[in-house]
Amino acid sequence: MNVKKHRKPNKIPPHQGSAKKLFKDPLIEGVRWIERYGSTIDKFWSTLPEYIRNSLATMAIFLMASSIKGDWIAIVVHLVKHFNGADESSGGDQAPNNTIVRENGTDGTRAHDVLEYLNLKGLPHYLSLAITGSFIIYFGVGGFIHWYYYVNKRDRPHEWKCQPEKFLSPELELHEIFVGGFSMLLMSCLSGILSCYAMNNGRLLTLYYRWDEYGWWWFFTQIVVIFLYQDYLTYWLHRIYHWPFLYKHFHKLHHTYKQPTAFSVTAIHPVEILHVQLTMLLPIFTIPTHWAAFYFVEIYTYAHGILNHSGVNIKSFWWQPWQPDTMFHDNHHQYFHVNFGFNIGLWDVIHGTYRRKDRVYSEEIFGGRGKNFKDVSQQELEKDIAERKLENPNAYRNNVHEYDLDEKEINDLIGPSKKIKSS
Protein backbone atom coordinates (compact mmCIF):
# COMPACT_ATOMS: atom_id res chain seq x y z
CA MET A 1 0.00 0.00 0.00
CA ASN A 2 1.60 3.24 -1.09
CA VAL A 3 1.31 6.59 0.55
CA LYS A 4 1.73 9.19 -2.13
CA LYS A 5 2.91 12.73 -1.70
CA HIS A 6 0.11 15.20 -1.93
CA ARG A 7 0.11 18.43 -3.85
CA LYS A 8 0.83 21.56 -1.90
CA PRO A 9 -2.52 22.93 -0.71
CA ASN A 10 -3.87 26.04 -2.30
CA LYS A 11 -3.48 29.12 -0.18
CA ILE A 12 -6.74 30.48 -1.57
CA PRO A 13 -9.77 28.24 -2.08
CA PRO A 14 -10.75 27.85 -5.75
CA HIS A 15 -14.16 29.42 -5.17
CA GLN A 16 -12.89 32.53 -3.40
CA GLY A 17 -13.72 34.72 -6.38
CA SER A 18 -17.34 33.64 -6.34
CA ALA A 19 -17.36 33.97 -2.57
CA LYS A 20 -16.48 37.68 -2.83
CA LYS A 21 -19.46 38.21 -5.09
CA LEU A 22 -21.77 36.24 -2.85
CA PHE A 23 -20.69 38.07 0.30
CA LYS A 24 -22.11 41.28 -1.14
CA ASP A 25 -25.45 39.75 -0.29
CA PRO A 26 -26.24 40.95 3.28
CA LEU A 27 -28.16 37.72 4.02
CA ILE A 28 -25.08 35.58 3.37
CA GLU A 29 -22.89 38.00 5.32
CA GLY A 30 -25.33 37.64 8.20
CA VAL A 31 -25.20 33.83 8.14
CA ARG A 32 -21.41 33.73 7.92
CA TRP A 33 -20.94 36.65 10.33
CA ILE A 34 -17.87 35.24 12.02
CA GLU A 35 -15.72 35.53 8.89
CA ARG A 36 -15.94 39.30 9.08
CA TYR A 37 -14.38 39.23 12.54
CA GLY A 38 -11.88 36.45 11.83
CA SER A 39 -8.74 38.56 12.33
CA THR A 40 -10.02 40.04 15.60
CA ILE A 41 -10.96 36.63 16.96
CA ASP A 42 -7.63 35.21 15.83
CA LYS A 43 -5.69 37.84 17.79
CA PHE A 44 -7.65 37.07 20.95
CA TRP A 45 -7.52 33.32 20.37
CA SER A 46 -3.73 33.29 20.01
CA THR A 47 -3.32 34.83 23.47
CA LEU A 48 -5.06 31.91 25.20
CA PRO A 49 -3.11 28.91 26.55
CA GLU A 50 -3.51 25.76 24.44
CA TYR A 51 -5.38 23.81 27.13
CA ILE A 52 -7.96 26.60 27.38
CA ARG A 53 -8.36 26.68 23.60
CA ASN A 54 -8.88 22.91 23.50
CA SER A 55 -11.37 23.10 26.39
CA LEU A 56 -13.35 25.87 24.70
CA ALA A 57 -13.45 23.95 21.42
CA THR A 58 -14.72 20.85 23.24
CA MET A 59 -17.35 22.84 25.12
CA ALA A 60 -18.46 24.45 21.86
CA ILE A 61 -19.11 21.04 20.30
CA PHE A 62 -21.18 19.85 23.27
CA LEU A 63 -23.11 23.13 23.37
CA MET A 64 -23.93 22.80 19.70
CA ALA A 65 -24.92 19.17 20.32
CA SER A 66 -27.48 20.37 22.86
CA SER A 67 -28.98 22.80 20.35
CA ILE A 68 -29.30 20.83 17.11
CA LYS A 69 -32.52 19.15 18.22
CA GLY A 70 -33.47 21.51 21.01
CA ASP A 71 -32.40 19.18 23.83
CA TRP A 72 -30.98 22.03 25.88
CA ILE A 73 -34.45 23.07 27.06
CA ALA A 74 -35.37 19.48 27.95
CA ILE A 75 -32.20 19.20 30.04
CA VAL A 76 -33.05 22.45 31.86
CA VAL A 77 -36.61 21.26 32.54
CA HIS A 78 -35.46 17.91 33.90
CA LEU A 79 -32.80 19.56 36.05
CA VAL A 80 -35.50 21.75 37.59
CA LYS A 81 -37.73 18.74 38.20
CA HIS A 82 -34.80 16.75 39.56
CA PHE A 83 -33.81 19.30 42.20
CA ASN A 84 -37.30 20.54 43.04
CA GLY A 85 -38.83 17.09 43.22
CA ALA A 86 -40.69 15.65 40.25
CA ASP A 87 -44.06 15.67 42.01
CA GLU A 88 -43.75 19.33 42.92
CA SER A 89 -43.27 20.57 39.36
CA SER A 90 -45.85 22.70 37.62
CA GLY A 91 -49.17 21.11 36.94
CA GLY A 92 -50.02 20.60 40.61
CA ASP A 93 -53.06 22.83 40.28
CA GLN A 94 -54.64 20.52 37.74
CA ALA A 95 -57.84 18.76 38.59
CA PRO A 96 -57.53 14.98 38.86
CA ASN A 97 -57.66 12.97 35.64
CA ASN A 98 -56.89 16.08 33.57
CA THR A 99 -60.40 17.48 34.05
CA ILE A 100 -60.49 21.25 33.69
CA VAL A 101 -62.70 23.03 36.23
CA ARG A 102 -64.29 26.25 35.09
CA GLU A 103 -64.63 29.25 37.34
CA ASN A 104 -68.36 28.60 37.75
CA GLY A 105 -67.57 25.11 39.05
CA THR A 106 -68.83 23.15 36.04
CA ASP A 107 -66.70 20.51 34.39
CA GLY A 108 -65.72 20.64 30.77
CA THR A 109 -63.19 22.06 28.37
CA ARG A 110 -63.02 25.34 26.54
CA ALA A 111 -60.85 26.22 23.57
CA HIS A 112 -58.15 27.85 25.70
CA ASP A 113 -58.21 24.93 28.15
CA VAL A 114 -57.16 22.32 25.59
CA LEU A 115 -53.41 22.74 26.19
CA GLU A 116 -53.86 22.38 29.93
CA TYR A 117 -56.03 19.31 29.41
CA LEU A 118 -53.21 17.79 27.31
CA ASN A 119 -50.59 18.56 29.98
CA LEU A 120 -49.19 21.34 27.79
CA LYS A 121 -49.87 24.37 29.93
CA GLY A 122 -47.59 27.23 28.92
CA LEU A 123 -46.64 25.61 25.60
CA PRO A 124 -46.14 28.89 23.66
CA HIS A 125 -43.46 29.95 26.16
CA TYR A 126 -41.63 26.63 25.86
CA LEU A 127 -41.74 26.75 22.07
CA SER A 128 -40.42 30.31 21.90
CA LEU A 129 -37.62 29.50 24.35
CA ALA A 130 -36.70 26.26 22.60
CA ILE A 131 -36.54 27.86 19.16
CA THR A 132 -34.78 31.07 20.19
CA GLY A 133 -32.21 29.35 22.40
CA SER A 134 -31.46 26.65 19.85
CA PHE A 135 -30.83 29.13 17.05
CA ILE A 136 -28.61 31.33 19.22
CA ILE A 137 -26.50 28.33 20.24
CA TYR A 138 -26.54 26.78 16.75
CA PHE A 139 -25.34 29.88 14.90
CA GLY A 140 -23.16 31.26 17.67
CA VAL A 141 -21.30 28.06 18.52
CA GLY A 142 -21.55 26.68 14.98
CA GLY A 143 -20.03 29.91 13.71
CA PHE A 144 -17.15 29.48 16.14
CA ILE A 145 -16.49 25.91 14.98
CA HIS A 146 -16.68 27.11 11.37
CA TRP A 147 -14.11 29.82 12.12
CA TYR A 148 -11.87 27.50 14.15
CA TYR A 149 -11.23 25.25 11.17
CA TYR A 150 -12.66 26.66 7.94
CA VAL A 151 -11.37 30.22 8.43
CA ASN A 152 -8.49 30.03 10.88
CA LYS A 153 -6.88 26.97 9.24
CA ARG A 154 -8.20 27.20 5.69
CA ASP A 155 -4.77 27.71 4.14
CA ARG A 156 -3.42 24.42 5.54
CA PRO A 157 -6.22 21.86 5.03
CA HIS A 158 -3.83 18.87 4.87
CA GLU A 159 -3.27 19.35 8.59
CA TRP A 160 -6.90 18.80 9.54
CA LYS A 161 -9.33 18.15 6.67
CA CYS A 162 -10.55 14.69 5.58
CA GLN A 163 -10.86 15.87 1.96
CA PRO A 164 -8.22 18.61 1.84
CA GLU A 165 -8.49 19.32 -1.89
CA LYS A 166 -12.25 20.02 -1.78
CA PHE A 167 -14.44 22.57 0.01
CA LEU A 168 -18.15 23.18 -0.24
CA SER A 169 -18.94 26.20 -2.39
CA PRO A 170 -20.37 29.25 -0.59
CA GLU A 171 -23.70 28.47 -2.26
CA LEU A 172 -23.79 24.98 -0.72
CA GLU A 173 -22.65 26.28 2.67
CA LEU A 174 -25.59 28.66 2.67
CA HIS A 175 -27.89 25.87 1.43
CA GLU A 176 -26.92 23.51 4.26
CA ILE A 177 -27.44 26.25 6.84
CA PHE A 178 -30.94 27.02 5.54
CA VAL A 179 -31.93 23.34 5.29
CA GLY A 180 -30.34 22.57 8.67
CA GLY A 181 -31.99 25.60 10.25
CA PHE A 182 -35.44 24.52 9.06
CA SER A 183 -34.94 20.96 10.33
CA MET A 184 -33.66 22.33 13.62
CA LEU A 185 -36.78 24.51 13.86
CA LEU A 186 -38.94 21.37 13.65
CA MET A 187 -36.80 19.52 16.18
CA SER A 188 -36.82 22.48 18.57
CA CYS A 189 -40.62 22.53 18.40
CA LEU A 190 -40.73 18.81 19.18
CA SER A 191 -38.34 19.27 22.09
CA GLY A 192 -40.33 22.25 23.35
CA ILE A 193 -43.54 20.18 23.32
CA LEU A 194 -41.89 17.28 25.17
CA SER A 195 -40.30 19.64 27.70
CA CYS A 196 -43.63 21.32 28.39
CA TYR A 197 -45.34 17.94 28.68
CA ALA A 198 -42.68 16.75 31.13
CA MET A 199 -42.94 19.90 33.28
CA ASN A 200 -46.71 19.39 33.43
CA ASN A 201 -46.16 15.81 34.60
CA GLY A 202 -47.45 14.14 31.45
CA ARG A 203 -48.37 10.57 32.32
CA LEU A 204 -47.19 8.96 29.09
CA LEU A 205 -43.54 9.58 29.94
CA THR A 206 -41.68 6.78 31.75
CA LEU A 207 -38.91 9.08 32.99
CA TYR A 208 -37.86 9.01 36.63
CA TYR A 209 -35.70 11.34 38.75
CA ARG A 210 -34.38 9.57 41.86
CA TRP A 211 -31.01 8.04 40.99
CA ASP A 212 -31.64 4.65 42.62
CA GLU A 213 -35.39 4.38 42.06
CA TYR A 214 -34.92 1.23 39.96
CA GLY A 215 -31.56 0.30 41.45
CA TRP A 216 -28.08 1.45 40.54
CA TRP A 217 -27.57 -1.59 38.34
CA TRP A 218 -30.40 -0.41 36.04
CA PHE A 219 -29.21 3.19 36.08
CA PHE A 220 -25.93 2.17 34.43
CA THR A 221 -27.36 -0.69 32.37
CA GLN A 222 -29.94 1.55 30.72
CA ILE A 223 -27.17 3.77 29.31
CA VAL A 224 -25.83 0.79 27.37
CA VAL A 225 -29.32 -0.41 26.40
CA ILE A 226 -30.42 2.99 25.10
CA PHE A 227 -27.13 3.54 23.28
CA LEU A 228 -27.27 0.15 21.54
CA TYR A 229 -30.96 0.51 20.70
CA GLN A 230 -30.59 3.98 19.22
CA ASP A 231 -27.42 3.26 17.28
CA TYR A 232 -28.59 -0.02 15.78
CA LEU A 233 -32.01 1.34 14.83
CA THR A 234 -30.52 4.46 13.28
CA TYR A 235 -28.09 2.25 11.34
CA TRP A 236 -31.07 0.49 9.78
CA LEU A 237 -33.10 3.65 9.28
CA HIS A 238 -30.12 5.24 7.58
CA ARG A 239 -29.60 2.19 5.40
CA ILE A 240 -33.30 2.06 4.49
CA TYR A 241 -33.20 5.72 3.44
CA HIS A 242 -30.45 4.66 1.02
CA TRP A 243 -32.86 2.41 -0.84
CA PRO A 244 -33.32 3.93 -4.34
CA PHE A 245 -36.84 5.38 -3.90
CA LEU A 246 -36.28 6.80 -0.40
CA TYR A 247 -32.83 8.03 -1.31
CA LYS A 248 -34.08 9.90 -4.36
CA HIS A 249 -37.05 11.53 -2.61
CA PHE A 250 -35.64 12.14 0.88
CA HIS A 251 -32.05 11.30 1.81
CA LYS A 252 -30.40 12.63 -1.35
CA LEU A 253 -30.87 16.12 0.08
CA HIS A 254 -28.39 15.33 2.85
CA HIS A 255 -25.89 14.01 0.32
CA THR A 256 -25.85 17.33 -1.48
CA TYR A 257 -22.90 18.02 0.81
CA LYS A 258 -20.14 15.76 -0.43
CA GLN A 259 -17.63 17.59 1.77
CA PRO A 260 -19.76 17.93 4.92
CA THR A 261 -19.28 20.55 7.63
CA ALA A 262 -20.64 20.80 11.17
CA PHE A 263 -23.74 22.55 9.79
CA SER A 264 -24.51 19.47 7.66
CA VAL A 265 -25.55 17.46 10.71
CA THR A 266 -29.13 18.81 10.66
CA ALA A 267 -29.32 19.46 6.91
CA ILE A 268 -31.70 16.53 6.43
CA HIS A 269 -35.14 16.22 4.86
CA PRO A 270 -37.80 17.09 7.49
CA VAL A 271 -39.64 13.77 7.03
CA GLU A 272 -36.47 11.79 7.62
CA ILE A 273 -35.23 13.77 10.61
CA LEU A 274 -38.63 13.54 12.32
CA HIS A 275 -38.74 9.79 11.65
CA VAL A 276 -35.28 9.29 13.16
CA GLN A 277 -35.93 11.53 16.15
CA LEU A 278 -39.21 9.83 17.07
CA THR A 279 -37.44 6.48 16.90
CA MET A 280 -34.72 7.73 19.25
CA LEU A 281 -37.28 9.06 21.73
CA LEU A 282 -39.13 5.75 22.08
CA PRO A 283 -37.34 4.66 25.32
CA ILE A 284 -38.79 7.57 27.35
CA PHE A 285 -42.28 6.29 26.54
CA THR A 286 -41.70 2.56 26.95
CA ILE A 287 -39.14 1.66 29.66
CA PRO A 288 -38.15 3.17 33.03
CA THR A 289 -35.58 5.78 31.99
CA HIS A 290 -33.65 8.14 34.20
CA TRP A 291 -33.64 11.54 32.53
CA ALA A 292 -29.88 12.05 33.06
CA ALA A 293 -28.99 8.66 31.56
CA PHE A 294 -31.15 9.33 28.50
CA TYR A 295 -29.78 12.79 27.78
CA PHE A 296 -26.22 11.66 28.45
CA VAL A 297 -26.61 9.26 25.53
CA GLU A 298 -28.35 11.93 23.43
CA ILE A 299 -25.62 14.54 23.88
CA TYR A 300 -22.89 11.96 23.25
CA THR A 301 -24.65 10.91 20.05
CA TYR A 302 -25.23 14.45 18.81
CA ALA A 303 -21.70 15.58 19.69
CA HIS A 304 -20.28 12.78 17.58
CA GLY A 305 -22.82 13.60 14.88
CA ILE A 306 -21.27 17.07 14.69
CA LEU A 307 -17.75 15.64 14.64
CA ASN A 308 -18.65 13.01 12.04
CA HIS A 309 -20.01 15.71 9.71
CA SER A 310 -17.32 18.28 10.45
CA GLY A 311 -14.97 17.16 7.69
CA VAL A 312 -12.20 17.38 10.27
CA ASN A 313 -9.65 14.63 10.91
CA ILE A 314 -10.54 13.55 14.46
CA LYS A 315 -9.56 10.18 15.89
CA SER A 316 -11.61 8.44 18.56
CA PHE A 317 -10.01 8.04 21.99
CA TRP A 318 -8.48 4.81 23.30
CA TRP A 319 -11.51 4.29 25.58
CA GLN A 320 -13.87 4.36 22.57
CA PRO A 321 -13.08 1.12 20.73
CA TRP A 322 -16.62 1.11 19.33
CA GLN A 323 -16.39 4.63 17.88
CA PRO A 324 -15.17 5.06 14.28
CA ASP A 325 -12.92 7.99 13.43
CA THR A 326 -14.54 10.90 11.62
CA MET A 327 -13.06 9.66 8.33
CA PHE A 328 -15.53 6.75 8.49
CA HIS A 329 -18.58 8.98 7.98
CA ASP A 330 -16.71 11.35 5.70
CA ASN A 331 -16.21 8.31 3.44
CA HIS A 332 -19.97 7.85 3.53
CA HIS A 333 -20.53 11.34 2.13
CA GLN A 334 -17.78 10.98 -0.43
CA TYR A 335 -18.87 7.53 -1.66
CA PHE A 336 -22.61 7.67 -0.76
CA HIS A 337 -23.82 4.06 -0.27
CA VAL A 338 -21.41 2.61 2.29
CA ASN A 339 -20.55 2.96 6.02
CA PHE A 340 -24.12 3.49 7.26
CA GLY A 341 -23.33 3.31 10.99
CA PHE A 342 -22.78 6.26 13.28
CA ASN A 343 -21.26 5.49 16.66
CA ILE A 344 -20.59 1.77 16.26
CA GLY A 345 -18.74 0.67 13.15
CA LEU A 346 -19.38 -2.97 14.00
CA TRP A 347 -22.88 -2.84 12.50
CA ASP A 348 -21.38 -2.28 9.04
CA VAL A 349 -18.85 -5.07 9.57
CA ILE A 350 -21.61 -7.51 10.58
CA HIS A 351 -23.89 -6.59 7.67
CA GLY A 352 -21.19 -6.31 5.00
CA THR A 353 -21.58 -2.57 4.38
CA TYR A 354 -18.18 -1.52 5.75
CA ARG A 355 -16.05 0.04 3.03
CA ARG A 356 -13.68 -2.40 1.33
CA LYS A 357 -10.48 -1.65 -0.50
CA ASP A 358 -11.32 -3.92 -3.43
CA ARG A 359 -14.73 -2.39 -4.13
CA VAL A 360 -15.92 0.57 -6.18
CA TYR A 361 -18.56 2.87 -4.65
CA SER A 362 -20.57 5.72 -6.12
CA GLU A 363 -23.97 7.40 -5.91
CA GLU A 364 -25.26 5.11 -8.66
CA ILE A 365 -24.18 1.88 -6.91
CA PHE A 366 -26.79 1.06 -4.24
CA GLY A 367 -26.82 -1.65 -1.58
CA GLY A 368 -23.81 -0.74 0.53
CA ARG A 369 -21.51 -3.44 -0.81
CA GLY A 370 -20.14 -1.67 -3.87
CA LYS A 371 -19.01 -3.50 -7.01
CA ASN A 372 -16.00 -5.55 -7.98
CA PHE A 373 -13.46 -3.78 -10.14
CA LYS A 374 -14.24 -6.21 -12.96
CA ASP A 375 -17.96 -5.36 -12.92
CA VAL A 376 -17.72 -1.59 -13.43
CA SER A 377 -17.10 0.47 -16.52
CA GLN A 378 -13.79 2.15 -17.26
CA GLN A 379 -15.37 5.51 -16.40
CA GLU A 380 -16.66 4.30 -13.01
CA LEU A 381 -13.28 2.81 -12.21
CA GLU A 382 -11.35 5.96 -13.08
CA LYS A 383 -13.77 8.06 -11.06
CA ASP A 384 -13.31 5.84 -8.00
CA ILE A 385 -9.53 5.96 -8.25
CA ALA A 386 -9.62 9.75 -8.61
CA GLU A 387 -11.83 10.01 -5.51
CA ARG A 388 -9.36 7.98 -3.45
CA LYS A 389 -6.65 10.54 -4.20
CA LEU A 390 -8.80 13.24 -2.58
CA GLU A 391 -8.65 11.51 0.81
CA ASN A 392 -6.19 12.70 3.42
CA PRO A 393 -3.82 9.88 4.52
CA ASN A 394 -3.42 11.67 7.87
CA ALA A 395 -7.10 11.05 8.59
CA TYR A 396 -6.44 7.31 8.87
CA ARG A 397 -4.70 5.52 11.72
CA ASN A 398 -0.88 5.73 11.61
CA ASN A 399 -1.29 8.27 8.77
CA VAL A 400 -1.61 5.43 6.25
CA HIS A 401 -4.26 5.63 3.52
CA GLU A 402 -6.17 2.37 4.02
CA TYR A 403 -7.72 2.41 0.55
CA ASP A 404 -4.80 3.60 -1.57
CA LEU A 405 -3.93 1.34 -4.50
CA ASP A 406 -0.80 1.26 -6.62
CA GLU A 407 -0.86 0.46 -10.33
CA LYS A 408 -0.10 -3.23 -9.85
CA GLU A 409 -2.89 -3.70 -7.27
CA ILE A 410 -5.39 -1.98 -9.55
CA ASN A 411 -4.50 -4.07 -12.58
CA ASP A 412 -4.59 -7.28 -10.52
CA LEU A 413 -8.13 -6.41 -9.42
CA ILE A 414 -9.49 -5.53 -12.86
CA GLY A 415 -7.82 -8.43 -14.70
CA PRO A 416 -6.52 -8.41 -18.28
CA SER A 417 -9.65 -6.81 -19.77
CA LYS A 418 -8.70 -3.30 -18.64
CA LYS A 419 -5.50 -1.50 -17.84
CA ILE A 420 -5.29 1.68 -15.86
CA LYS A 421 -2.59 3.77 -14.25
CA SER A 422 -2.87 4.83 -10.62
CA SER A 423 -1.42 8.28 -11.14
Side-chain angles (χ1 to χ4, degrees), residues 132-180:
T132 304
S134 292
F135 273 87
I136 289 173
I137 298 171
Y138 181 74
F139 288 116
V141 178
F144 169 78
I145 295 172
H146 173 79
W147 168 81
Y148 186 75
Y149 288 106
Y150 287 85
V151 177
N152 186 42
K153 300 182 179 182
R154 195 175 191 112
D155 62 343
R156 47 191 192 278
H158 283 265
E159 294 180 4
W160 58 271
K161 201 169 187 301
C162 293
Q163 299 179 58
E165 304 291 343
K166 295 282 189 177
F167 286 81
L168 286 183
S169 67
E171 295 92 334
L172 281 179
E173 286 185 357
L174 181 63
H175 185 271
E176 71 173 351
I177 290 171
F178 278 151
V179 174

Side-chain angles (χ1 to χ4, degrees), residues 218-282:
W218 174 243
F219 176 81
F220 291 105
T221 301
Q222 68 185 283
I223 295 175
V224 178
V225 170
I226 293 169
F227 180 66
L228 291 175
Y229 159 78
Q230 289 187 343
D231 206 65
Y232 191 58
L233 262 291
T234 50
Y235 164 84
W236 272 108
L237 284 176
H238 187 196
R239 187 171 170 182
I240 288 169
Y241 273 97
H242 274 265
W243 291 355
F245 177 83
L246 293 177
Y247 179 79
K248 178 181 177 181
H249 292 90
F250 299 101
H251 194 63
K252 185 179 174 68
L253 176 63
H254 184 59
H255 277 272
T256 305
Y257 322 110
K258 196 173 178 180
Q259 296 82 36
T261 74
F263 287 117
S264 303
V265 67
T266 56
I268 302 172
H269 193 286
V271 171
E272 180 183 356
I273 201 169
L274 278 169
H275 186 187
V276 172
Q277 183 65 2
L278 290 172
T279 301
M280 295 182 73
L281 289 170
L282 195 59

